[in-house]
Amino acid sequence: MSADEPAQPPADGPRKAPEPSGVDLARVALRAAKEQARARGDAAQQKKQARRGGGLRSGARADGRDPMALGSAINRLITERGWETPAAVGGVMGRWPQIVGEDLAKHCVPETYDEDERVLVVRCDSTAWATNLRLLAPQLVARLNQDLGHGAVTLIKVQGPSGPARRYGPLRAPGSGRPDDTYG
């Protein structure tokens, strides 16, 4: 390898994102400098107010210390954390009877939502209602996506009723491997 040839990354090694250069590097540096200057300015203003004996006071202009309405604070938190879709699905779970109808809502209840796979799990109280919901699932997915935004729910996983845990009789041998194995 000569000094004129660029170094090649190994064929089996992971590729790294290219380092910012030129205009991109200047933008990153400018943004960092502005943030540092803003932080220094805020600290200097707080020191100045503390010297005057006022402590922390809010001025005529809005800043981060001003009180905020509860709804605005919650919306800001949801946006900052990226909880828009789970919050919207939670709202759907609260409005389940209005979305699917009273009759279906009496027998089928949403249990969980997997944000990564975008799957809504619904439990029904009988196998007949589970079959009915499986037939209605495509229309229900379309209605939910219309309500929540395209692609919020890709699949509805329908589960039937869960039966009671199997009880073992008194003739089961201790240490046996299977429920039908009574002799070990």
Side-chain angles (χ1 to χ4, degrees):
M1 177 187 297
S2 68
D4 296 338
E5 295 177 15
Q8 297 272 338
D12 59 342
R15 293 195 153 196
K16 293 183 179 178
E19 293 289 324
S21 62
V23 176
D24 294 329
L25 187 60
R27 284 186 185 138
V28 170
L30 179 63
R31 186 177 308 126
K34 282 183 177 181
E35 288 174 3
Q36 289 175 353
R38 187 176 302 121
R40 282 193 308 266
D42 289 344
Q45 185 177 7
Q46 288 176 359
K47 278 184 181 179
K48 189 182 314 177
Q49 285 180 350
R51 275 195 307 255
R52 283 191 249 158
L56 296 177
R57 285 185 273 180
S58 181
R61 285 174 267 145
D63 63 4
R65 297 172 290 144
D66 287 339
M68 178 183 278
L70 182 62
S72 300
I74 290 174
N75 288 337
R76 182 172 151 192
L77 178 69
I78 287 172
T79 305
E80 286 175 356
R81 302 284 172 110
W83 294 340
E84 290 94 354
T85 302
V89 171
V92 164
M93 289 184 177
R95 296 181 292 125
W96 184 252
Q98 290 86 19
I99 293 172
V100 299
E102 293 291 330
D103 200 29
L104 192 62
K106 288 179 188 175
H107 301 282
C108 302
V109 179
E111 283 192 340
T112 60
Y113 174 72
D114 184 7
E115 184 181 0
D116 297 330
E117 296 182 20
R118 302 192 184 285
V119 174
L120 180 66
V121 178
V122 180
R123 177 156 320 267
C124 299
D125 61 3
S126 71
T127 55
W129 281 105
T131 303
N132 189 17
L133 187 63
R134 283 186 189 101
L135 294 173
L136 293 173
Q139 291 94 0
L140 192 55
V141 167
R143 186 182 296 169
L144 289 171
N145 283 330
Q146 181 182 1
D147 219 20
L148 300 172
H150 182 69
V153 177
T154 57
L155 178 70
I156 294 180
K157 193 175 195 179
V158 181
Q159 296 180 344
S162 59
R166 178 171 166 115
R167 295 180 140 173
Y168 299 106
L171 298 177
R172 183 170 187 275
S176 62
R178 301 186 323 245
D180 60 343
D181 183 12
T182 56
Y183 297 107

